[in-house]
Amino acid sequence: QKEVEQNSGPLSVPEGAIASLNCTYSDRGSQSFFWYRQYSGKSPELIMSIYSNGDKEDGRFTAQLNKASQYVSLLIRDSQPSDSATYLCAVNIPQGGSEKLVFGKGTKLTVNP
Amino acid sequence: GAGVSQSPSNKVTEKGKDVELRCDPISGHTALYWYRQSLGQGLEFLIYFQGNSAPDKSGLPSDRFSAERTGGSVSTLTIQRTQQEDSAVYLCASSSRERANYGYTFGSGTRLTVV
């Protein structure tokens, strides 16, 4: 079983709609969860972090975490063409004192004007 | 510096040659990570440095890959006898573990092409 899984998409939504991105992870010991945005040809940029069950809102972005289901999601409200990018889910995997993020392969989002 | 700096931004090398990739993390960040991203793929962990602790080398794909971090700051990733499958974007990131909501800040990457 892969450690972090995402639907590769592509996901296409019209401008103004809600985009919903999903991620599941395998390690129940994970405590920190992140969403990164990566524009084509650019490096990943951190947009959200979440540590507790429930929702965390930041502007048009809402991250949702359910540790019992090992599930993380990102909602983008009022989607804009500038949101078109690949969204990477990242999960902290603590292993023997080492802390590193394991990334999913990403979901490509296209917002159509 | 203000951000994570990587050099060179692009590197084309012949198969069998050695290459060195450099990363200068954000000043004061104690943790430094190397990842690589092949075309259309996710980020693959390579190596992690934290302060003076022994690095986590568990992601290095072969003994042709090595990395060092001098003085707790600049890091160099070395790939010996490069192969075509080494072609990828190599990303460096740093973080401060003192921050409660730590996440990585990535550099702009080095695009390595082995011909």
Side-chain angles (χ1 to χ4, degrees):
Chain A
Q1 182 183 2
K2 294 182 180 178
E3 292 180 290
V4 180
E5 293 202 54
Q6 295 181 252
N7 187 330
S8 61
L11 175 64
S12 183
V13 300
E15 184 174 356
I18 296 175
S20 178
L21 305 163
N22 304 314
C23 172
T24 58
Y25 61 95
S26 60
D27 192 328
R28 288 194 172 274
S30 298
Q31 296 294 323
S32 307
F33 307 87
F34 305 87
W35 284 98
Y36 283 78
R37 178 177 62 199
Q38 186 173 27
Y39 292 115
S40 181
K42 301 294 185 182
S43 58
E45 171 193 13
L46 178 64
I47 55 172
M48 288 288 285
S49 59
I50 188 166
Y51 304 90
S52 304
N53 281 327
D55 295 358
K56 179 181 178 182
E57 187 175 318
D58 184 0
R60 295 185 296 110
F61 297 96
T62 299
Q64 299 175 317
L65 174 61
N66 183 325
K67 289 185 180 180
S69 300
Q70 295 174 248
Y71 176 89
V72 192
S73 66
L74 179 70
L75 300 177
I76 307 175
R77 291 182 302 281
D78 187 25
S79 296
Q80 302 296 308
S82 58
D83 295 327
S84 297
T86 296
Y87 289 80
L88 303 170
C89 174
V91 176
N92 181 42
I93 305 292
Q95 287 179 336
S98 173
E99 294 187 40
K100 61 179 181 282
L101 295 186
V102 175
F103 289 80
K105 291 191 174 181
T107 298
K108 185 174 183 179
L109 171 66
T110 300
V111 180
N112 301 304
Chain B
V4 178
S5 178
Q6 290 189 247
S7 62
S9 55
N10 280 284
K11 177 72 176 179
V12 179
T13 189
E14 292 182 351
K15 178 181 174 181
K17 300 283 190 182
D18 297 352
V19 295
E20 286 189 351
L21 312 179
R22 176 188 168 101
C23 173
D24 196 348
I26 292 172
S27 179
H29 277 193
T30 57
L32 185 149
Y33 308 82
W34 284 98
Y35 285 76
R36 72 176 176 181
Q37 188 173 35
S38 302
L39 188 63
Q41 299 298 309
L43 275 73
E44 176 188 4
F45 167 77
L46 297 177
I47 189 169
Y48 159 53
F49 295 92
Q50 173 57 49
N52 295 320
S53 301
D56 177 356
K57 303 179 181 180
S58 61
L60 295 178
S62 78
D63 58 8
R64 297 186 295 105
F65 288 72
S66 63
E68 62 178 18
R69 188 179 185 190
T70 53
S73 181
V74 172
S75 176
T76 302
L77 177 69
T78 300
I79 309 173
Q80 296 178 310
R81 306 180 301 282
T82 52
Q83 303 295 312
Q84 288 186 330
E85 61 262 30
D86 300 334
S87 296
V89 176
Y90 287 81
L91 290 162
C92 176
S94 70
S95 75
S96 168
R97 291 189 66 189
E98 287 69 35
R99 288 177 54 209
N101 60 333
Y102 87 97
Y104 299 172
T105 300
F106 282 92
S108 55
T110 294
R111 182 176 297 278
L112 175 66
T113 304
V114 181
V115 298

